[in-house]
Amino acid sequence: MAADQAQQKGDYAKSIELTSQILQQKPDDHIAYYLRASARVESGRAQGNAKTIRDGIGDAREAIRFSQNQNVNYYLPYLYGMINLAVMENKKSHGETALGVANQILVRPNLTAEERANFHYQRGMIFLPLNKPQEAAKDFTETIKLSPNHFAALLALPDAYALAGNNEMALASFNQVAQKQPDSPVVYNNRAMYFQQQGKLQDAINDFSRAIQIDPKYHHAITNRGFAYLEGGKPETAEADLTQSLSIAPNQPFVLGMRGEARLLQGKITQAIEDQKQAVQLDPQNAALRSDLGFSYFFSQNYPAAITEFNLAAKLAPEQMKVLNPWIYLAMIRSNQKPAADAKFQSVLAQKPDSRDSVDNLLAYLMGAVTQADLIKSIDLKDQERAKAQTCEAYFFIGQKALLANDNATATQNFQQALNTNMKNLSAYRGAQYALKKF
């Protein structure tokens, strides 16, 4: 039927429209309910819309009811919908409910090999949000035994092994699927992402390049290779890949933000801000994108604009964005708002010194309640990477305070100390770069 064809083409809106028309004329058409269930779940997943997914789950229940539970495949959109709800809403209860249903299906004696394979795959996918990757790997393995070319399970198995910490089996599984599907760009893209997570950047870049060679329009691999170059300290090469990805799919806020980052690292502050502004326009509720734009405004010394973006980011994600507080304080000072800045963060000074975290200590230092020596002494030396990060931030803000006192020599010395930590992923590091104009 036309609704099924529309769905196969990924036109979920058309499929939903056609099946809705059928159901107006024939309210008990279980096939139409099943097709609309699948289309709604897929559409909701693509749009991040929980209500549409719930509507799809409801349709799947109706398909099961009107078919008198005769077609086991009607459970597939139900389970898929519940899995996506579990992830989207971070509720294990959805996954546990789906797991119970999948278990009931899999004990049925009359399932075909294909049906059994599909339900093992679905149960494997349910185990992932339940944080049971080993059980997921067992189900994916069983799926492949029953259906050796089940592409989704072949792709899911190595990821499950990786999540379980079994890197040897993960790589073996990736290699196996690459042998079975040597012309699939998705396979090489996924193995590349695994290599990147393992810190094997050149192996990752090689696989991303192979995926792009197979399909030059596969913008996901182009984006991912750009990110790998960015991580590898090659922002100019990264920018070229990200520009190519955006030429294929322009409305990607994450990619625009990443290209902004690549440009920022090259000292292209004006172009970086333009990218980040576009990213925020496309995804205005994204706190991370707003904070990144705020940092770029700060580095360009547009402090009022920085305050606006930082405050919006902090409102969207209060807990995660506490790290912005010292930056907001400084931007307010730079905007001749010292009394308001002191009042905004007065509660930090009321805390007992031993109850302050590293962000509080930076604020207390900027506000004059902590000495430079005490700030350095407060760095947590138990974790080497954490200590380096806190050291970078401490020296950056010491440099900023020296600038406020018009002591440029001391400021320069401390900004260089921040750069010496080599913590290139930190905003404090980038701030030191811009302060010294070293890129």
Side-chain angles (χ1 to χ4, degrees):
M1 78 169 51
D4 191 19
Q5 292 173 353
Q7 191 167 152
Q8 296 301 321
K9 294 176 182 176
D11 191 347
Y12 304 123
K14 186 66 175 176
S15 181
I16 292 167
E17 179 189 343
L18 292 171
T19 48
S20 296
Q21 290 171 0
I22 293 168
L23 288 166
Q24 282 181 341
Q25 298 170 4
K26 191 180 178 186
D28 61 350
D29 191 320
H30 51 86
I31 297 174
Y33 271 118
Y34 164 69
L35 291 172
R36 192 171 72 176
S38 300
R40 279 177 162 172
V41 170
E42 290 287 6
S43 177
R45 177 178 176 273
Q47 296 171 8
N49 189 323
K51 183 185 180 304
T52 304
I53 292 175
R54 288 181 186 279
D55 290 342
I57 291 169
D59 279 346
R61 288 196 183 102
E62 291 297 275
I64 293 164
R65 181 167 73 91
F66 283 118
S67 70
Q68 297 181 334
N69 204 12
Q70 294 303 304
N71 193 328
V72 73
N73 289 322
Y74 290 175
Y75 283 93
L76 292 173
Y78 169 82
L79 293 176
Y80 189 50
M82 292 295 284
I83 293 164
N84 280 284
L85 269 189
V87 174
M88 194 176 294
E89 298 182 350
N90 195 26
K91 286 186 179 178
K92 283 191 173 183
S93 58
H94 295 321
E96 288 161 355
T97 300
L99 180 60
V101 173
N103 287 339
Q104 290 172 20
I105 299 295
L106 281 166
V107 296
R108 293 188 181 187
N110 58 343
L111 295 178
T112 66
E114 182 183 2
E115 289 169 344
R116 194 168 294 281
N118 286 335
F119 279 95
H120 272 294
Y121 170 73
Q122 289 293 340
R123 189 171 71 176
M125 293 300 291
I126 293 165
F127 277 128
L128 292 178
L130 293 176
N131 198 27
K132 295 181 177 180
Q134 291 178 326
E135 288 86 343
K138 289 177 185 176
D139 267 330
F140 297 144
T141 301
E142 188 62 29
T143 301
I144 295 164
K145 284 181 183 175
L146 291 162
S147 180
N149 293 316
H150 195 293
F151 189 55
L154 286 167
L155 283 178
L157 179 58
D159 285 337
Y161 280 133
L163 286 170
N166 192 338
N167 292 325
E168 186 177 337
M169 287 299 293
L171 184 56
S173 296
F174 273 121
N175 293 341
Q176 181 185 34
V177 68
Q179 288 175 351
K180 285 192 173 186
Q181 303 282 346
D183 297 321
S184 168
V186 179
V187 170
Y188 291 100
N189 178 69
N190 287 18
R191 188 171 68 179
M193 288 193 292
Y194 169 76
F195 281 136
Q196 192 167 356
Q197 289 164 359
Q198 296 296 306
K200 299 177 179 177
L201 279 182
Q202 191 54 55
D203 288 332
I205 288 168
N206 291 344
D207 265 359
F208 287 135
S209 298
R210 175 65 178 139
I212 297 163
Q213 184 181 15
I214 294 169
D215 182 0
K217 296 292 184 183
Y218 186 42
H219 65 86
H220 298 295
I222 299 170
T223 294
N224 290 335
R225 189 175 69 179
F227 179 56
Y229 280 129
L230 193 59
E231 194 177 4
K234 296 180 178 179
E236 190 174 349
T237 311
E239 181 187 349
D241 268 350
L242 299 169
T243 299
Q244 177 64 18
S245 175
L246 289 164
S247 73
I248 298 167
N251 295 327
Q252 300 182 79
F254 174 71
V255 180
L256 279 162
M258 204 188 307
R259 188 174 69 176
E261 174 79 2
R263 288 173 164 174
L264 189 71
L265 291 172
Q266 298 173 71
K268 299 177 179 178
I269 190 74
T270 303
Q271 290 173 282
I273 288 172
E274 284 305 310
D275 274 347
Q276 291 166 336
K277 281 169 67 177
Q278 284 187 55
V280 164
Q281 286 167 5
L282 289 169
D283 190 1
Q285 301 302 306
N286 189 311
L289 291 177
R290 286 211 174 268
S291 68
D292 286 346
L293 177 56
F295 285 123
S296 292
Y297 278 135
F298 188 101
F299 302 149
S300 68
Q301 300 181 15
N302 186 344
Y303 300 112
I307 293 168
T308 298
E309 295 303 328
F310 286 152
N311 283 334
L312 284 167
K315 188 176 180 180
L316 288 166
E319 291 181 16
Q320 297 95 315
M321 293 300 161
K322 182 187 176 182
V323 294
L324 297 177
N325 287 349
W327 297 86
I328 294 172
Y329 181 85
L330 263 179
M332 291 178 75
I333 297 291
R334 291 287 191 176
S335 302
N336 298 315
Q337 300 178 39
K338 188 177 189 308
D342 287 338
K344 183 178 178 72
F345 296 108
Q346 191 64 33
S347 60
V348 171
L349 301 186
Q351 295 177 14
K352 292 180 179 178
D354 58 359
S355 68
R356 293 178 186 143
D357 60 20
S358 61
V359 175
D360 295 329
N361 279 325
L362 290 171
L363 261 173
Y365 168 72
L366 291 172
M367 297 172 77
V370 168
T371 67
Q372 178 177 325
D374 285 338
L375 179 62
I376 298 297
K377 196 184 297 182
S378 71
I379 292 169
D380 183 2
L381 299 176
K382 293 192 290 289
D383 183 311
Q384 187 177 358
E385 285 300 298
R386 183 176 171 82
K388 284 170 64 179
Q390 290 182 7
T391 300
C392 180
E393 289 171 337
Y395 282 119
F396 172 74
F397 285 106
I398 291 168
Q400 284 289 328
K401 194 169 183 180
L403 277 185
L404 289 171
N406 295 315
D407 186 349
N408 292 337
T410 300
T412 297
Q413 181 184 358
N414 283 284
F415 290 141
Q416 186 57 53
Q417 289 273 61
L419 293 183
N420 291 346
T421 64
N422 207 33
M423 296 298 289
K424 295 181 180 179
N425 61 323
L426 293 183
S427 296
Y429 182 92
R430 295 183 200 109
Q433 282 185 299
Y434 272 87
L436 298 179
K437 295 181 171 52
K438 285 188 175 182
F439 303 103

